Amino acid sequence: MPIPSSPWLIRSAPVAAAQAAGRPVVALESTIIAHGMPYPENVRTAREVEQLIRGMGAEPATIALIGGRIHVGLADAELELLGRAGNQAAKVSRRGLPAVLAAGGLGATTVAATMICAAMAGIEVFVTGGIGGVHRGAAESFDISADLQELARTSVAVVCAGAKSILDLGLTLEYLETHGVPVLSCGQDNFAAFYTRDSGFRADYRIDDPQAQARFIRTKWDLGLAGGVVLSVPVPEAAALERGEVDGLITQALGEARQQGITGKAVTPFLLSRIKALTGGRSLACNIALVKNNAQAGARLALALALALALAQAPRSLRGRSAHPGE
């Protein structure tokens, strides 16, 4: 299969080598580094996540916008640059990609932008913390994350700990259903809720085995059904927060955001920061644990998808004898 190319893309040497050799690659976003965690925990976590993926036999590709190009796979110094920049790096979704690239600025990619860049680079699996969704009060504000529309149009599998607890999770799942985005759950029947393991809402399908997940995803795309697939993986139990506690903290933090006039894309980082403060740092530990857990699930899925593709492309004589005599 030819490796996609674009004048806007710069692959790191390890990512280029992995793709040339047909080894699986796992995309990682950079908003979690610049906007999701404080320095230096953000850089340390990013390095540890990359190492986890490498240790499982896949190649990590953290994606960011640097100097007018989409960098697919970051050097250690580039991770450090993003981590130290923090909120000074632009938070880039679909509509911001051309602006930041044209200006040659530093941009951290959201779920939506990372999906776009991963698809451009020929990467099928993307690991994040939690996807965006329909915000509480969206009936009045129309505040719906671009992540959901990107999932409807871009064929990348997104491994996450569900959607962020600060959202309206029921409406988020309704939106995904309307746009034909399958929501798979691994390890439990229900959709996960970022800090908490169980949102109270069922996923579309529970598929625990990575090979079975890969067959589902490959079948979807082979049928010509474009768009992403969500794989929900609950945060490890030891690091999870209780749903009742999180709901109370979110209500408090949302009230503070309204009082301070914080709106739009500034709401999520504000809420994450306040919840961290209100939990005495336990939410940050939870965030780190779930990202690492997602990375392992994503690596397993990427390996399974690569194997499924290799078997599909192999001559029939190499796939094993048919189970049906006479064929």
Side-chain angles (χ1 to χ4, degrees):
M1 178 180 293
I3 300 170
S5 62
S6 166
W8 295 104
L9 289 176
I10 296 178
R11 291 176 173 85
S12 69
V15 169
Q19 289 193 303
R23 292 195 297 111
V25 177
V26 176
L28 298 165
E29 63 158 289
S30 47
T31 291
I32 196 170
I33 301 171
H35 296 264
M37 296 182 188
Y39 181 84
E41 288 95 336
N42 52 4
V43 175
R44 181 169 60 247
T45 300
R47 290 170 179 155
E48 290 172 352
V49 166
E50 289 195 345
Q51 192 54 44
L52 277 172
I53 291 170
R54 288 193 187 98
M56 297 185 70
E59 183 61 38
T62 302
I63 294 174
L65 310 184
I66 304 174
R69 292 293 182 272
I70 300 166
H71 287 245
V72 181
L74 300 184
D76 200 58
E78 291 167 334
L79 284 176
E80 185 75 19
L81 172 68
L82 271 173
R84 287 183 178 275
N87 292 337
Q88 298 306 306
K91 186 177 180 181
V92 183
S93 190
R94 168 177 276 266
R95 70 175 181 175
L97 275 170
V100 176
L101 287 172
L106 178 65
T109 54
T110 63
V111 169
T114 307
M115 287 184 72
I116 293 167
C117 299
M120 287 175 62
I123 300 172
E124 295 183 321
V125 177
F126 160 45
V127 166
T128 185
I131 60 171
V134 179
H135 284 256
R136 301 183 188 198
E140 290 76 34
S141 68
F142 285 84
D143 193 351
I144 301 174
S145 171
D147 297 353
L148 299 186
Q149 193 60 44
E150 208 57 55
L151 279 160
R153 59 157 65 101
T154 301
S155 299
V156 172
V158 179
V159 182
C160 60
K164 294 182 178 69
S165 313
I166 58 178
L167 303 169
D168 187 320
L169 299 183
L171 290 183
T172 296
L173 291 170
E174 287 286 351
Y175 189 105
L176 291 172
E177 178 186 2
T178 298
H179 289 274
V181 179
V183 177
L184 312 183
S185 184
C186 178
Q188 63 183 31
D189 294 335
N190 282 3
F191 187 60
F194 199 66
Y195 295 128
T196 64
R197 291 174 59 83
D198 185 353
S199 68
F201 296 93
R202 289 182 69 88
D204 297 327
Y205 310 98
R206 174 177 176 172
I207 307 179
D208 295 346
D209 178 63
Q211 284 71 36
Q213 295 163 4
R215 285 194 297 272
F216 180 103
I217 293 166
R218 189 67 68 202
T219 300
K220 176 185 187 297
W221 293 338
D222 286 349
L223 287 169
L225 300 175
V229 175
V230 174
L231 177 60
S232 164
V233 183
V235 59
E237 194 163 359
L241 303 182
E242 292 296 324
R243 193 199 308 176
E245 177 190 12
V246 172
D247 285 346
L249 295 175
I250 290 170
T251 299
Q252 177 181 339
L254 281 169
E256 293 174 2
R258 284 193 294 271
Q259 290 172 2
Q260 297 179 37
I262 296 170
T263 59
K265 63 183 180 181
V267 171
T268 296
F270 172 81
L271 293 180
L272 295 176
S273 176
R274 284 298 295 141
I275 291 170
K276 179 196 169 192
L278 293 168
T279 59
R282 287 184 296 126
S283 66
L284 177 59
C286 178
N287 197 349
I288 292 171
L290 68 85
V291 169
K292 291 180 178 179
N293 192 51
N294 294 348
Q296 292 174 307
R300 287 191 288 268
L301 175 59
L303 289 163
L305 277 168
L307 177 60
L309 181 61
L311 289 174
Q313 293 177 338
R316 189 174 180 191
S317 60
L318 299 180
R319 299 181 208 167
R321 293 182 179 276
S322 168
H324 302 284
E327 284 193 2

